[in-house]
Structure formats: C-alpha cells, structure tokens
Amino acid sequence: RKEVEQDPGPFNVPEGATVAFNCTYSNSASQSFFWYRQDCRKEPKLLMSVYSSGNEDGRFTAQLNRASQYISLLIRDSKLSDSATYLCVVFNQAGTALIFGKGTTLSVSS
Amino acid sequence: NAGVTQTPKFRILKIGQSMTLQCTQDMNHNYMYWYRQDPGMGLKLIYYSVGAGITDKGEVPNGYNVSRSTTEDFPLRLELAAPSQTSVYFCASSYEGQTTGELFFGEGSRLTVL
C-alpha cells in the first residue's frame, strides 16, 4: 500500500450537494492527520487537522478510522468556492516528515 | 506581513544550467522546507531545515543543494539542470516543525528545463 492514497476524482457536484472524500494511509503508527486545500495553480493551505474523535469546522467534517487506516472529509452544502483540490496529509513511517497525497479534485457547479 | 516569499515565480532553464531558487520568511519560523510538485502528483520533500546552520535531506534530494545561514532565508540550488527537474517548487515554513501540521507555503516557483 502506498503511504497515502486518494481517489483523484474529479468529483463534479452541484451547489448545495454533500460530498465526501476518503484517504487511506499505510503508517499504522501515524498520530497526526490533516487536510489541506490547494486552489488551481496556488500553494496548499491547511484546511483542518483530523482528530481521533472526529471534528467539525463549519460545513466541513473530518473523521478518522484507525482500524481501517483511513480518514475522510465531508463537505456539506457545497459552494462554488469549494472548488479546489483537497490533499490528505499524514506522517511518514519515520514520523519525521509530512506525506502529501496526490489530492482529490472537487468541482462545484451552479 | 509577507509570510513566505519565493523568487523567481517562473524560470526556463537549459539542460546543464544552474540556478538558485530564493525563499525568505518573515515569521521567525525555525523550520523551513522545500517541496516539489509534479503535475497530478503530491508534494515531495526535497530538503528541510530545523534552524540556521542545520539542513537535512528529504525524500528526493538528488540534484539539489540547500543552505541555511539565517533564520529567514533558505535558498535551493539546482546544479546541472535536467528535464526531470521540471516542476513547481514550493518553499514552506513552520514554527514548531511538522508536528502541528501547519505549514505556510510560498506561492511557488514554476521551473521548466528544456
């Protein structure tokens, strides 16, 4: 299994839709997980950390399933401005560096 | 507050040329990083530094060199450019290392080697 795997998409959804992305990781010892957002031809920016108990930030909900080694990002009531690539990020096997997934592209249309 | 500033934003190199990508941050962050991002791929760590005078290799260091003489600056040097180094290069910094997960990225430098 690759260190971080994501479905590249693209996910094409209408405004107001709910969409979920999954990400699987290989390092069972990883303690920290994150979602980054990257707009087209822009730099990545931290969207949210993923906590063991799950966490919400407005319309965004992040979940962690340690047993199955995957994390998820749920976006409710999608907005046009949510169109971007969402990067799953975990620590490498040595715990010394962040590993970025290839990203899942979301396109929200009106 | 400028954050992380990278120069140049775009550059075309011929095979075998050398160049330096500049990166400076004004947030007094100890940790700085260089990543490259190829089309449709995730970011790959090239080099990182935990403070002035200290640098370490990342996942893909071959063909690159770095230095960290000050807290603010972390230049990346490409020696003998090759087409495989065509990529978007991102410099990033963080205050507490990568454990908090929050890296602040520059806008990127798009390099083409022909």
Side-chain angles (χ1 to χ4, degrees):
Chain A
R1 176 188 274 183
K2 292 183 181 177
E3 289 195 89
V4 181
E5 288 196 84
Q6 295 182 251
D7 181 345
F11 284 65
N12 298 303
V13 302
E15 277 186 291
T18 295
V19 62
F21 309 135
N22 285 334
C23 165
T24 58
Y25 61 92
S26 61
N27 179 15
S28 59
S30 185
Q31 296 295 314
S32 302
F33 311 88
F34 313 94
W35 284 101
Y36 271 69
R37 170 190 169 128
Q38 186 173 24
D39 293 326
C40 187
R41 301 179 70 82
K42 297 286 189 180
E43 72 275 19
K45 293 183 180 179
L46 179 66
L47 177 66
M48 59 195 302
S49 301
V50 185
Y51 301 125
S52 296
S53 56
N55 48 297
E56 275 190 21
D57 184 1
R59 297 180 293 107
F60 297 83
T61 301
Q63 295 280 355
L64 169 64
N65 185 319
R66 286 192 184 276
S68 300
Q69 292 181 219
Y70 79 80
I71 65 175
S72 64
L73 178 67
L74 181 77
I75 305 175
R76 293 182 300 277
D77 189 22
S78 297
K79 311 291 185 190
L80 293 174
S81 58
D82 293 333
S83 297
T85 297
Y86 292 84
L87 307 173
C88 172
V89 185
V90 304
F91 271 100
N92 64 354
Q93 289 283 353
T96 55
L98 291 175
I99 303 298
F100 286 77
K102 295 180 182 180
T104 297
T105 299
L106 171 66
S107 178
V108 182
S109 57
S110 58
Chain B
N1 191 343
V4 179
T5 303
Q6 292 181 232
T7 58
K9 288 187 167 45
F10 303 92
R11 182 73 186 268
I12 298 175
L13 280 182
K14 293 183 179 178
I15 294 172
Q17 286 186 319
S18 300
M19 75 161 296
T20 300
L21 299 177
Q22 302 290 344
C23 175
T24 187
Q25 53 91 9
D26 61 1
M27 297 175 282
N28 202 31
H29 286 170
N30 289 324
Y31 295 77
M32 296 189 73
Y33 316 86
W34 274 106
Y35 289 88
R36 61 176 286 175
Q37 185 176 35
D38 299 329
M41 303 294 286
L43 283 81
K44 303 286 188 185
L45 182 62
I46 305 172
Y47 270 96
Y48 66 100
S49 169
V50 301
I54 306 169
T55 62
D56 267 305
K57 295 178 180 179
E59 185 181 359
V60 289
N62 292 342
Y64 307 95
N65 279 299
V66 293
S67 59
R68 186 92 183 273
S69 57
T70 66
T71 298
E72 294 78 20
D73 300 307
F74 190 41
L76 176 72
R77 180 146 181 92
L78 281 71
E79 306 282 2
L80 299 175
S84 60
Q85 294 178 303
T86 293
S87 191
V88 181
Y89 292 83
F90 288 103
C91 179
S93 72
S94 65
Y95 180 63
E96 295 180 339
Q98 296 192 329
T99 53
T100 63
E102 183 156 26
L103 304 182
F104 294 84
F105 285 86
E107 294 182 341
S109 297
R110 298 179 185 280
L111 175 67
T112 301
V113 182
L114 301 174

